[in-house]
Amino acid sequence: MLFLVVIPGCATFQDRSGDAAEGEGYAASETTFSAYSQEIPGTDVEIAMVPVEGGTFLMGRSSDEDGKESHEGPQREVAVNSFWMSSHEITWEQYNLFAQEVIDKEIGNEVLERFGIEADAITTPSPPYGDGAFGMGEDGRPVISITHYAAVVYAMWLTAKTGEFHRLPTEAEWEYACRGGTSSTYYFGDDPDQLDDYEWHWGNSSGSYGRVAEKNPNPFGLYDMMGNVAEWTMDEFHLDYHEKLEGEVADNPLFLPDVLYPRAARGGSWRDDAEDIRCTHRRGSSPRWSRDDPQIPRSMWWHTNAPMVGFRIIRPKETPSREKMEKYWIMPVLDM
């Protein structure tokens, strides 16, 4: 199994604390802002993309909700720009196009020249240790067990394949999309008895993740946001995330990671109890997610003990400058 990883030689991260996800330096896209299917050239695989009109919202869990985790609040007003988001989690079928891509020198050079990337190397990492699907099957199901870095590079690969900039959502973008314009406990209201109609969790999953988009979507047309698998975001995980937000209205907050652990994943999963299936649920990655990996350093691509985490991608409505794009193409950190 081969992978493409472009290791930029010119990436710079001058300020990793509280960076705005969007801002000056972005060129307006002339694309119509509506749902579409992102074709992946050279394949018959597509990714359904849903428009999410930007706006402001109260991020975090209100203090009067039962079972509130301390790191899910206090609520703060946050603004996010418009973007498209994949309608469901990236599936094995969509991910394996990247994972099984055979990269030759000519293709690599074409990609680098297309995006003006100064690269030190193009590498092909080692295969996963064990079955990444944990015997639960891949057909129509979300890719799991991948590292944060692997998800970031998938978005980079998709950018190179399609010519359209894709990346992971920030925590703020993810929660805004999950809420679907609602402020209730769940995006479908406050009645937990309806949860089985919308999400996979431990109580209805029969000990396995489900196929994507089998449950009802949220008001934006996004499936499996609160359950099935937790989803990577661009951010480093901070327990005091909400306290760190700046401004009366935090503008497109982003905390780019400068450490390997913890990085932020959002939402619940098939392994979580129903009370953890909510838009405000957050978790930070941990070395325990790779505790059975015998390699030194541990794989930068696979977590051997994280069958509950996957990801989905977004495409900003306004295409950023190349300099802004490179901010999201983070460098790998060795897991020793």
Side-chain angles (χ1 to χ4, degrees):
M1 185 175 291
L2 301 176
F3 298 81
L4 164 67
V5 53
V6 180
I7 302 178
C10 58
T12 57
F13 306 98
Q14 296 179 348
D15 181 5
R16 295 174 178 274
S17 225
D19 278 352
E22 315 290 346
E24 294 182 359
Y26 283 71
S29 168
E30 297 180 355
T31 305
T32 302
F33 195 50
S34 58
Y36 71 100
S37 292
Q38 176 62 66
E39 298 179 352
I40 301 179
T43 78
D44 58 359
V45 176
E46 298 178 341
I47 300 175
M49 302 293 289
V50 173
V52 177
E53 191 71 54
T56 61
F57 74 114
L58 282 178
M59 183 176 180
R61 204 170 190 198
S62 65
S63 58
D64 57 357
E65 291 182 67
D66 292 336
K68 175 182 177 294
E69 295 284 349
S70 60
H71 59 262
E72 294 184 13
Q75 283 190 324
R76 293 289 307 276
E77 190 169 6
V78 171
V80 298
N81 292 347
S82 300
F83 55 89
W84 287 272
M85 175 175 267
S86 56
S87 66
H88 54 69
E89 295 139 347
I90 296 299
T91 64
W92 282 102
E93 180 185 30
Q94 293 164 339
Y95 187 78
N96 283 339
L97 294 174
F98 157 67
Q100 297 172 358
E101 177 105 74
V102 177
I103 306 301
D104 62 30
K105 182 178 179 180
E106 294 304 317
I107 294 176
N109 288 338
E110 179 183 341
V111 170
L112 300 181
E113 291 173 5
R114 185 174 183 181
F115 286 90
I117 300 170
E118 297 177 15
D120 295 328
I122 297 177
T123 64
T124 54
S126 57
Y129 183 76
D131 177 14
F134 284 74
M136 297 186 292
E138 297 184 357
D139 182 36
R141 293 173 169 81
V143 64
I144 54 172
S145 310
I146 61 167
T147 64
H148 180 265
Y149 181 69
V152 168
V153 178
Y154 177 86
M156 187 178 180
W157 169 83
L158 187 63
T159 298
K161 293 289 286 187
T162 64
E164 300 289 353
F165 176 56
H166 297 86
R167 61 171 171 82
L168 298 183
T170 66
E171 280 205 69
E173 290 165 339
W174 189 95
E175 183 172 326
Y176 180 81
C178 182
R179 289 179 175 276
T182 72
S183 58
S184 47
T185 302
Y186 309 102
Y187 55 70
F188 52 79
D190 296 315
D191 182 5
D193 291 340
Q194 297 183 45
L195 192 59
D196 286 356
D197 295 331
Y198 291 86
E199 299 291 350
W200 295 110
H201 55 88
W202 184 250
N204 66 2
S205 66
S206 300
S208 175
Y209 59 3
R211 289 186 172 85
V212 299
E214 286 193 334
K215 299 288 189 178
N216 294 329
N218 79 354
F220 285 166
L222 299 166
Y223 295 86
D224 308 314
M225 287 297 296
M226 297 191 298
N228 208 19
V229 294
E231 300 175 11
W232 286 119
T233 69
M234 279 302 311
D235 294 79
E236 181 172 328
F237 180 83
H238 292 287
L239 284 172
D240 58 347
Y241 174 93
H242 300 81
E243 286 87 351
K244 293 172 74 69
L245 297 179
E246 297 180 351
E248 185 174 349
V249 179
D251 184 17
N252 291 288
L254 166 63
F255 298 93
L256 279 173
D258 58 8
V259 295
L260 181 57
Y261 301 110
R263 298 186 181 186
R266 295 299 302 261
S269 79
W270 62 274
R271 292 210 312 186
D272 293 315
D273 294 330
E275 53 263 34
D276 290 330
I277 306 300
R278 56 184 185 271
C279 291
T280 57
H281 190 63
R282 317 172 59 229
R283 76 187 75 198
S285 61
S286 160
R288 296 192 303 274
W289 292 14
S290 287
R291 64 179 179 271
D292 290 340
D293 189 337
Q295 306 167 97
I296 301 175
R298 299 181 184 90
S299 173
M300 69 174 71
W301 304 97
W302 301 97
H303 283 307
T304 54
N305 302 85
M308 70 297 185
V309 66
F311 72 103
R312 71 179 74 208
I313 50 95
I314 72 161
R315 173 190 165 198
K317 181 182 179 183
E318 295 186 353
T319 303
S321 64
R322 186 168 65 85
E323 181 182 11
K324 291 285 186 180
M325 289 183 192
E326 289 181 353
K327 181 173 69 172
Y328 299 96
W329 294 342
I330 59 177
M331 299 288 285
V333 178
L334 292 182
D335 188 352
M336 302 298 291

